[in-house]
């Protein structure tokens, strides 16, 4: 594993190979002092820090009561000494009784703090709800266990009254080319499409105000209580947004990603001016004729369906010069077989590359439950920036046994020039020998679609590099807020998704890639689902990075596992550098689940979704088995 000094200030360095430029300088929106964070744990150790649903069931009291819960739970939550400590301990004690020796993993918890819920209406606007802050701080004080403090404020709504007021101000909202994004939905959750392109918004000032109010009170605790906090996670998922958040993350919808607000457009121009010595240099890279940087607009139109004033206005999911070739394949394995299946891709008869069939496709499993396995997906990204324009034939083969190829299908595509000239046929090489498909083989090529056309716009990778920088800048800004408190030297983590583990997602819509690279004093925190929890996808990616540790901010295998498999999975993460691992738990009181709007992904004996009940039991048994 490569090591990266935690204190070293790094810069965003995104190579734009086709342009011959480097987008450098992930500098925060304000210059902030750097701190060297303590290592969260000894090498090889790992804190299990489940995120328990105590906020809506205990912490957020209204006139001394919560909407749901038992009478006993309310007694421990309310009053001047009330906190969620008893509910936390009750829940964890069912998963693993409190003992002096806890085996290889400490069992603590993650305390989520919904920042925008820390306000109440006041005569002059909004004021900090000191009662809610007090219950959170007393939870830290009164719970003996170590914890991860999760400063939570994302696009997922928390039903805070302040959220509704903030959403009425368009300066708080991210914008597509069509204007501010209105609230959306993700299954049963409301999505607030907040902007982070600009820190000079009421949204950001309220996040800062809530964080400072909470940390001020935490820092008044005795040192031994502050010492229970083993890490701070920053904000939660922070990435760019798009309409129809539930279904719009793929490649087959009109391209409407953020952020095209005036501050973001101005920032993009400043970004280009820093990267290019003159407008002439930019024009040479782009093949454009801008008179000044002030003329440059972010790409926002589709050449296939809309008129363009300049070719550099074009954008879609492929305009950065990469084409995903992806699909799924399933063939019943013979008993005892462990040979991985590979997909081979050929372009005009020339081998492009191969990729494993091992990525999660929950949609395929839902349609084909008889497969019994979601990891049927595959994807290979083909760089077409330097290919000549013309007609190409893409052939896809499955290699289930070494050297034996089975054809999965063919797609015809065109790589177009900026004048949309008629593409010409190109020479074809003979394809490799192949055998007919076995009757048990089921497969589909999702991308590319047949008879599809693709355009490379060299301005698009620069736009995506800038959007990635916006994510990093905002995280660094917020990290600076925490650094002004007594928690400056405690490790700080991101709380990011990893889109590359889902073959049907367009990672550039999220523009999250730069925040997954080393960010100086901010440590990597990632949410892992499916194969990323137990397979090789995440491990292989992580092994190629310069990170020297990470936190798992959310975790669910999306399938039932026996205790030995759970032990192996936890051991794998501990061995490769995980410093904490968080998963959702439902609060339990006196052996019963507390009534609330239960989380679909909670490990709980009453939750049958995604094998969560069996996972809870396996976690329980594996932890008991690890104790002397």
């Amino acid at each position: 594993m490569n090591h990266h000094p935690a204190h070293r200030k790094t810069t965003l360095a995104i190579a734009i190979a086709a342009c011959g430029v480097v987008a450098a300088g992930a500098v925060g929106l304000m210059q902030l002092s750097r701190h060297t964070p303590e290592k969260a744990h000894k090498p090889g150790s790992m804190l299990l820090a489940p995120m328990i649903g105590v906020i809506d069931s205990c912490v957020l009291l209204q006139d001394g009561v919560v909407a749901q819960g038992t009478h006993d739970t309310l007694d421990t939550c309310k009053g001047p000494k009330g906190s969620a400590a008893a509910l936390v301990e009750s829940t964890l004690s069912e998963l693993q009784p409190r003992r002096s020796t806890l085996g290889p993993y400490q069992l603590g918890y993650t305390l989520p703090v919904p920042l925008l819920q820390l306000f109440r209406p006041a005569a002059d606007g909004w004021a900090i709800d000191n009662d809610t802050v007090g219950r959170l701080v007393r939870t830290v004080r009164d719970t003996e266990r170590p914890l991860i403090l999760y400063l939570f404020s994302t696009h997922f709504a928390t039903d805070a009254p302040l959220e509704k007021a903030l959403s009425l101000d368009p300066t708080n909202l991210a914008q597509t080319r069509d204007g501010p994004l209105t609230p959306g939905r993700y299954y049963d959750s409301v999505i607030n499409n907040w902007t982070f392109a600009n820190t000079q918004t009421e949204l950001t000032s309220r996040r800062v105000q809530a964080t400072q109010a909470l940390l001020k009170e935490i820092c008044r605790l005795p040192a031994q209580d502050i010492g229970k906090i083993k890490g701070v996670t920053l904000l939660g998922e922070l990435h760019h947004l798009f309409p129809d958040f539930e279904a719009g993350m793929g490649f087959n919808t009109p391209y409407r990603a953020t952020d095209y607000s005036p501050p973001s457009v101005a920032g993009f121009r400043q970004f280009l001016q820093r990267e290019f010595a003159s407008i002439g240099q930019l024009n040479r890279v782009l093949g454009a004729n801008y008179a000044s940087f002030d003329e440059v607009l972010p790409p926002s139109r589709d050449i296939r369906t809309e008129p363009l004033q300049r070719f550099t206005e074009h954008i879609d999911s492929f305009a950065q010069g990469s084409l995903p070739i992806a699909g799924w394949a399933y063939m019943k394995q013979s008993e005892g077989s462990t040979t991985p299946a590979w997909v081979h891709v050929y372009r005009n008869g020339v081998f492009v590359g191969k990729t494993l069939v091992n990525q999660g496709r929950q949609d395929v499993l839902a349609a084909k439950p008889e497969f019994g396995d979601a990891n049927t997906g595959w994807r290979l990204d083909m760089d077409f920036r330097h290919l000549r324009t013309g007609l190409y034939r893409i052939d896809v083969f499955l290699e289930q046994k070494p050297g034996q190829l089975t054809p999965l299908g063919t797609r015809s595509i065109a790589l177009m020039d900026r004048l949309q000239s008629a593409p010409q046929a190109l020479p074809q090489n003979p394809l490799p020998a192949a055998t007919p498909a076995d009757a048990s083989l089921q497969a589909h090529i999702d991308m590319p679609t047949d008879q599809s056309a693709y355009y490379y716009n060299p301005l698009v990778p620069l736009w995506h590099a800038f959007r990635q920088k916006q994510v990093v800048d905002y995280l660094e800004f917020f990290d600076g807020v925490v650094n002004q408190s007594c928690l400056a030297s405690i490790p700080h983590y991101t709380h990011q998704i990893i889109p590359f583990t889902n073959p049907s997602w367009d990672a550039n819509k999220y523009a999250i890639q730069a925040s997954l690279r080393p960010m100086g004093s901010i440590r990597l925190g990632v949410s892992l689902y499916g194969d990323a929890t137990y397979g090789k996808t995440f491990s292989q990616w992580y092994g190629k990075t310069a990170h020297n540790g990470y936190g798992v901010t959310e975790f669910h295998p999306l399938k039932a596992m026996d205790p030995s498999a759970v032990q192996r999975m936890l051991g794998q993460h501990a061995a490769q550098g995980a410093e904490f691992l968080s998963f959702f738990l439902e609060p339990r009181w006196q052996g019963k689940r507390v009534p609330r709007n239960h989380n679909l992904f909670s490990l709980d004996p009453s939750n049958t979704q995604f094998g969560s009940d069996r996972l809870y039991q396996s976690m329980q048994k594996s932890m008991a088995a690890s104790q002397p």
Side-chain angles (χ1 to χ4, degrees), residues 1 53 163 242 308 333 336 349 354 405 446 501 507 536 569 584:
M1 178 61 58
E163 286 179 338
F242 39 85
L308 308 183
Q333 293 274 1
K354 66 179 184 177
L405 298 181
D446 297 331
T501 62
K536 296 181 179 179
M569 176 175 62
F584 294 110

Side-chain angles (χ1 to χ4, degrees), residues 228-413:
K228 298 172 188 174
I229 301 173
K230 303 304 179 182
V232 179
T233 54
L234 306 172
L235 293 176
E237 295 176 16
L238 186 77
H239 54 71
H240 280 281
L241 299 162
F242 39 85
D244 190 13
F245 191 70
E246 184 175 325
M249 65 278 293
F251 296 84
N252 59 352
T253 58
Y255 205 81
R256 298 290 188 272
T258 59
D259 193 327
Y260 289 80
S261 62
S264 185
V265 173
F268 181 51
R269 290 170 177 156
Q270 294 166 5
F271 170 82
L272 293 175
Q273 285 181 284
R274 288 192 297 269
E275 302 309 318
F276 295 91
S278 66
I279 191 64
Q281 183 188 22
L282 177 64
N283 281 332
R284 286 191 293 274
V285 168
L286 300 181
N289 60 349
Y290 294 107
S292 70
F293 286 102
D294 289 339
E295 286 189 1
V296 182
L297 291 172
S300 63
R301 304 176 73 80
D302 190 336
I303 195 172
R304 299 174 187 82
T305 59
E306 300 173 291
L308 308 183
Q309 297 298 314
R310 300 174 182 268
F311 175 74
T312 48
E313 295 174 353
H314 169 65
I315 192 170
D316 60 16
S317 288
F318 319 100
Q320 75 281 354
S322 180
L323 174 63
I325 302 170
W328 58 268
Y330 174 82
M331 180 181 285
K332 189 173 183 180
Q333 293 274 1
S334 57
E335 189 172 347
S337 174
T338 58
T339 303
W342 290 84
V343 164
H344 292 234
V345 175
Y346 287 77
R347 180 182 62 237
N348 286 357
V350 177
F351 179 68
V352 176
K354 66 179 184 177
T355 185
L356 277 170
V357 180
N358 67 349
Q359 294 191 292
R361 289 293 299 267
Q362 291 293 328
D363 57 332
V364 174
L365 181 60
K368 300 276 188 178
E370 64 272 18
F371 289 176
D373 184 11
N375 298 322
T376 56
W378 56 268
R379 173 170 157 180
L380 184 146
D381 290 343
M382 184 182 77
D383 184 346
F384 66 86
R385 293 172 298 174
H386 305 297
L387 296 179
R388 60 189 290 193
T389 58
L391 298 173
Y392 289 86
R393 169 175 165 158
I394 305 297
D395 287 279
V396 181
F397 297 85
L398 179 70
E399 180 190 30
Q400 191 181 27
K401 297 179 181 178
Q404 181 177 316
L405 298 181
T406 298
L408 295 184
T410 298
R411 296 291 185 268
S412 296
I413 67 169

Side-chain angles (χ1 to χ4, degrees), residues 88-356:
V88 167
E89 189 57 42
S90 172
T91 304
L92 295 179
S93 294
E94 286 199 34
L95 183 64
Q96 181 192 54
R98 184 72 161 156
R99 300 187 182 183
S100 57
T101 302
L102 293 174
Y105 313 119
Q106 263 193 305
L107 180 61
Y109 65 104
T110 295
L111 181 62
V113 179
L115 296 177
L116 298 184
Q117 285 276 22
L118 302 189
F119 292 89
R120 57 176 176 77
D124 57 348
W126 298 91
I128 293 293
D129 187 338
N130 292 316
D131 290 340
T132 299
V133 170
R135 279 186 290 276
L136 289 165
V137 174
R138 288 190 294 272
T139 299
V140 175
R141 183 195 67 187
D142 297 343
T143 307
E144 294 181 10
R145 300 180 186 262
L147 73 141
I148 300 296
L149 184 66
Y150 175 20
L151 303 177
F152 170 68
S153 182
T154 74
H155 43 276
F156 288 103
T158 62
D159 295 327
L162 176 58
E163 286 179 338
K164 296 172 185 172
L166 293 174
S167 67
L168 298 177
D169 182 353
T171 64
N172 293 318
L173 301 178
Q175 296 190 25
T176 70
R177 68 165 212 186
D178 300 323
L181 268 175
T182 56
R185 297 199 68 84
Y186 185 78
Y187 296 99
D188 59 347
S189 299
V190 173
I191 297 295
N192 288 314
N193 294 294
W194 304 126
T195 185
F196 51 85
N198 176 20
T199 58
Q200 303 304 308
T201 61
E202 186 180 1
L203 167 69
T204 296
S205 66
R206 294 300 186 185
R207 284 171 168 170
V208 171
Q209 182 184 1
T211 299
Q212 291 175 334
L214 175 75
L215 298 187
K216 178 181 178 182
E217 296 305 314
I218 284 179
C219 292
R220 288 177 172 172
L221 291 173
Q224 64 266 26
D225 291 325
I226 297 173
K228 298 172 188 174
I229 301 173
K230 303 304 179 182
V232 179
T233 54
L234 306 172
L235 293 176
E237 295 176 16
L238 186 77
H239 54 71
H240 280 281
L241 299 162
F242 39 85
D244 190 13
F245 191 70
E246 184 175 325
M249 65 278 293
F251 296 84
N252 59 352
T253 58
Y255 205 81
R256 298 290 188 272
T258 59
D259 193 327
Y260 289 80
S261 62
S264 185
V265 173
F268 181 51
R269 290 170 177 156
Q270 294 166 5
F271 170 82
L272 293 175
Q273 285 181 284
R274 288 192 297 269
E275 302 309 318
F276 295 91
S278 66
I279 191 64
Q281 183 188 22
L282 177 64
N283 281 332
R284 286 191 293 274
V285 168
L286 300 181
N289 60 349
Y290 294 107
S292 70
F293 286 102
D294 289 339
E295 286 189 1
V296 182
L297 291 172
S300 63
R301 304 176 73 80
D302 190 336
I303 195 172
R304 299 174 187 82
T305 59
E306 300 173 291
L308 308 183
Q309 297 298 314
R310 300 174 182 268
F311 175 74
T312 48
E313 295 174 353
H314 169 65
I315 192 170
D316 60 16
S317 288
F318 319 100
Q320 75 281 354
S322 180
L323 174 63
I325 302 170
W328 58 268
Y330 174 82
M331 180 181 285
K332 189 173 183 180
Q333 293 274 1
S334 57
E335 189 172 347
S337 174
T338 58
T339 303
W342 290 84
V343 164
H344 292 234
V345 175
Y346 287 77
R347 180 182 62 237
N348 286 357
V350 177
F351 179 68
V352 176
K354 66 179 184 177
T355 185
L356 277 170

